[in-house]
């Protein structure tokens, strides 16, 4: 390697992979970025595509365009299917192996249905542009089908949404769906009243946003209830069927069920053949390298990195992946300069979750914010982290338009007009099934 330019291969064009690539471009190395998609997706705003607030092109950008000014860098569109760590090769489906001197694996995470893969068809998660447009299709289609049925039968029934998982994604989806029903499309239909829409957020822990401070969790729940969302904490979904969701022996109607409860590491972690934790994340060293393979780094959602002196690994957040990507590049530079590597130190700048129009929570360490101020902070931070000036400008315009008009410009139903579970749901009178509060009242009366 001393007589030639080292080859660095980066798997994944997400936050971690791109930050590593940009930093590595300043070093005397050749860089190959491999991804099965040709674009980078700004995942924190996927829920806005799913709820028709933004179009996919406004939160995504071509990887080639982002890295066009990086020296000695090439981008390959391909699906990585395996590794040969001894031969230092990456195997690509329908392609020749790619040889490396350094390997950076940043392939993120996918959905986890907790040993119930059959739920995936009925309850889509939110990890990609495809997921977001599918959720948007189901959400908008639910109102259209309810309108058609009411026009044909003369009987209007409320649309039911059930979101499984009360983390940031679940909270964002629940709050935005409430805004759509009560503001955006409230007067668009003739036979149904979208304001009657019922939204249920189910969380297995005893409070939503369980990784946030308790005061912010309580504030988030209060803001959600103000929007009309029913919050059910300390409850675990036992089954998902067409038209309803089971929580123990309780049955809740669901026109559309959305999954925001669990994630699993990319299967490429297993393909590395190194130690993994229970969710399938690679257990990495303090410098983010893989045990016994110092030339291989794993970062982002695929990495189980526990800081020295801590009990729990870092969460799968975009800032973590970005800092790890830059740190790996610095350590490769130190290798080239024959300097010892440095351990990774995460600088926590805080976490935020938006709930709806003028509603959010922000945890900045000792400082906690909620409501309108937290919402403004969330807008600013996400706008600044969005890739590309064009995307920032378009998103700013869309947000401004939505704020002053209550309208959403991407209300498009594309693809099939079949809604999973719709036919089965019509066999039952969804309105006859009690809400969370009604079931609680019934149980109290029985006691």
């Amino acid at each position: 390697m001393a007589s030639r330019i080292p080859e660095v291969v980066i798997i994944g064009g997400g936050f971690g992979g791109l930050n590593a690539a940009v930093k590595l471009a300043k070093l005397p190395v050749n860089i190959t970025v491999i991804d099965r998609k040709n674009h980078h997706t700004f995942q924190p705003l996927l829920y806005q595509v799913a709820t028709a607030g933004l179009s996919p092109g406004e939160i995504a950008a071509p990887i080639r365009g982002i890295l066009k000014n990086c020296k000695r860098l090439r981008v390959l569109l391909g699906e990585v299917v395996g590794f040969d760590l001894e031969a230092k090769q990456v195997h690509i489906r329908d392609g020749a192996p790619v040889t490396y001197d350094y390997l950076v694996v940043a392939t993120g995470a996918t959905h986890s249905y907790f040993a119930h893969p059959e739920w995936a068809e009925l309850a889509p998660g939110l990890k990609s542009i495809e997921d977001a447009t599918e959720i948007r299709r189901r959400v908008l289609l639910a109102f259209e089908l309810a309108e058609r049925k009411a026009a044909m039968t003369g009987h209007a029934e409320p649309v039911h949404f059930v979101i499984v998982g009360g983390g940031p994604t679940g909270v964002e989806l629940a709050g935005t769906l409430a805004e759509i029903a009560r503001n955006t499309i409230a007067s668009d239909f003739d036979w149904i009243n979208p304001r009657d829409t019922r939204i249920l957020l189910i969380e297995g822990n005893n409070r939503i946003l369980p990784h946030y401070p308790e005061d912010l969790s309580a504030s988030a729940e209060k803001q959600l209830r103000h929007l009309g969302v029913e919050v059910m904490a300390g409850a675990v979904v036992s089954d998902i069927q067409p038209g309803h969701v089971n929580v123990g022996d309780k049955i809740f109607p669901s026109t559309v069920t959305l999954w925001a409860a669990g994630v699993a590491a990319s299967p490429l972690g297993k393909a590395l053949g190194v130690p993994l934790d229970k969710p399938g994340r690679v257990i990495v060293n303090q410098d983010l390298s893989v045990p016994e393979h110092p030339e291989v780094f794993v970062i982002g959602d695929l990495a189980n990195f526990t800081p020295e002196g801590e009990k729990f690994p870092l969460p799968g957040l975009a800032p973590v992946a970005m800092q790890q990507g830059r740190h790996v590049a610095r350590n490769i530079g130190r290798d080239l300069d024959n300097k010892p590597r440095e351990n990774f130190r995460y600088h926590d700048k805080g976490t935020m979750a938006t709930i709806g129009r003028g509603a959010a929570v922000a945890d900045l360490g000792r400082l906690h914010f909620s409501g309108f101020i937290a919402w403004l902070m969330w807008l600013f931070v996400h706008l600044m982290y969005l890739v590309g000036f064009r995307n920032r400008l378009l998103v700013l315009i869309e947000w401004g338009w939505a704020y002053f008009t209550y309208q959403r410009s991407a209300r498009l139903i594309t693809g099939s007009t079949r809604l999973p579970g719709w036919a089965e749901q019509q066999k039952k009178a969804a309105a006859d099934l009690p809400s969370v509060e009604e079931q609680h009242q019934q149980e109290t009366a029985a006691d």
Side-chain angles (χ1 to χ4, degrees):
M1 199 163 63
S3 61
R4 61 179 177 82
I5 297 178
E7 300 287 338
V8 181
V9 175
I10 301 173
I11 314 299
F15 290 108
L18 289 185
N19 275 267
V22 171
K23 191 78 173 178
L24 284 166
K26 301 176 182 178
L27 302 177
V29 297
N30 292 326
I31 308 163
T32 300
V33 177
I34 305 174
D35 199 298
R36 56 183 178 177
K37 303 288 180 64
N38 79 325
H39 57 271
H40 164 77
T41 301
F42 190 75
Q43 287 193 338
L45 291 182
L46 271 176
Y47 86 96
Q48 294 219 354
V49 175
T51 53
L54 297 173
S55 296
E58 293 166 348
I59 68 162
I63 295 174
R64 293 184 185 277
I66 297 171
L67 301 177
K68 65 180 180 180
N69 294 323
C70 293
K71 299 179 180 179
R72 295 181 298 276
L73 183 145
R74 63 172 179 165
V75 178
L76 296 181
L77 180 68
E79 180 183 1
V80 175
V81 294
F83 305 93
D84 186 337
L85 299 189
E86 299 304 321
K88 295 185 178 180
Q89 289 184 337
V90 175
H91 297 288
I92 303 176
R93 189 182 305 278
D94 301 324
V98 179
T99 302
Y100 62 84
D101 295 300
Y102 290 98
L103 174 64
V104 183
V105 185
T107 50
T110 184
H111 314 298
S112 172
Y113 288 91
F114 305 119
H116 288 281
E118 70 276 9
W119 293 353
E121 169 64 20
L122 297 172
L126 186 58
K127 286 293 182 184
S128 66
I129 291 290
E130 291 81 3
D131 294 336
T133 54
E134 172 61 16
I135 290 175
R136 182 184 68 185
R137 184 188 74 85
R138 296 190 186 197
V139 167
L140 299 177
L141 187 58
F143 292 105
E144 295 292 344
L145 292 179
E147 171 80 354
R148 186 180 71 188
K149 180 185 177 183
M152 295 174 64
T153 65
H155 177 64
E157 294 178 355
V159 174
H160 294 74
F161 293 107
V162 174
I163 299 101
V164 184
T169 299
V171 167
E172 289 164 354
L173 284 171
T176 309
L177 288 175
E179 285 193 339
I180 290 175
R182 287 155 179 75
N183 294 310
T184 305
I185 63 172
S187 59
D188 285 5
F189 294 88
D190 299 315
W191 293 89
I192 65 171
N193 183 0
R195 291 188 179 91
D196 293 334
T197 298
R198 294 163 70 173
I199 302 167
L200 172 61
L201 177 64
I202 302 175
E203 167 57 38
N205 289 283
N206 59 4
R207 59 187 175 94
I208 62 171
L209 298 179
H211 299 297
Y212 282 64
E214 290 190 17
D215 60 322
L216 292 182
S217 293
S219 176
E221 181 172 341
K222 181 179 179 181
Q223 294 177 74
L224 282 172
R225 292 189 183 279
H226 179 72
L227 290 171
V229 176
E230 300 176 68
V231 178
M232 188 177 184
V236 178
V237 170
S238 56
D239 195 16
I240 298 176
Q241 292 294 329
H244 68 269
V245 170
N246 292 13
V247 178
D249 57 355
K250 300 177 183 178
I251 300 176
F252 299 95
S254 179
T255 314
V256 175
T257 305
L258 303 177
W259 187 262
V263 295
S266 162
L268 283 183
K270 185 177 181 180
L272 283 168
V274 296
L276 308 175
D277 64 5
K278 188 175 180 180
R281 296 174 298 181
V282 176
I283 301 173
V284 298
N285 297 322
Q286 290 298 304
D287 64 353
L288 302 175
S289 67
V290 171
E292 300 183 10
H293 289 278
E295 76 283 358
V296 178
F297 299 90
V298 178
I299 61 176
D301 292 355
L302 185 56
N304 177 323
F305 174 84
T306 303
E308 289 181 331
E310 299 291 335
K311 295 181 179 179
F312 302 104
L314 292 178
L317 300 173
V320 174
M322 295 167 71
Q323 292 183 33
Q324 288 180 338
R326 294 191 290 266
H327 184 80
V328 164
R330 284 194 295 269
N331 269 343
I332 291 176
R334 294 182 71 84
D335 280 0
L336 300 181
D337 292 336
N338 294 315
K339 296 180 180 179
R341 292 183 180 180
E342 296 178 341
N343 292 341
F344 176 66
R345 295 285 185 270
Y346 175 55
H347 301 287
D348 189 355
K349 300 178 182 179
T351 54
M352 303 177 183
T354 183
I355 298 162
R357 178 190 178 90
V361 292
D363 175 15
L364 304 183
R366 296 181 179 179
L367 300 177
H368 298 172
F369 298 92
S370 61
F372 189 75
I373 293 177
W375 183 68
L376 289 178
M377 295 168 62
W378 183 93
L379 292 177
F380 176 78
V381 169
H382 284 73
L383 197 63
M384 291 301 99
Y385 275 112
L386 193 60
V387 175
F389 174 78
R390 173 185 174 275
N391 283 4
R392 294 191 191 108
L393 180 61
L394 289 175
V395 169
L396 180 61
I397 292 172
E398 291 286 4
W399 282 351
W401 174 260
Y403 183 79
F404 289 108
T405 67
Y406 289 89
Q407 295 301 306
R408 292 178 168 262
S409 61
R411 288 162 47 193
L412 306 177
I413 298 175
T414 57
S416 171
T417 55
R418 172 185 170 272
L419 185 62
W422 174 258
E424 293 86 348
Q425 186 180 11
Q426 301 319 299
K427 297 177 182 178
K428 297 182 179 181
D432 292 339
L433 291 172
S435 67
V436 177
E437 287 80 4
E438 291 167 340
Q439 291 198 32
H440 178 69
Q441 292 172 2
Q442 293 173 6
E443 292 170 357
T444 302
D447 293 339

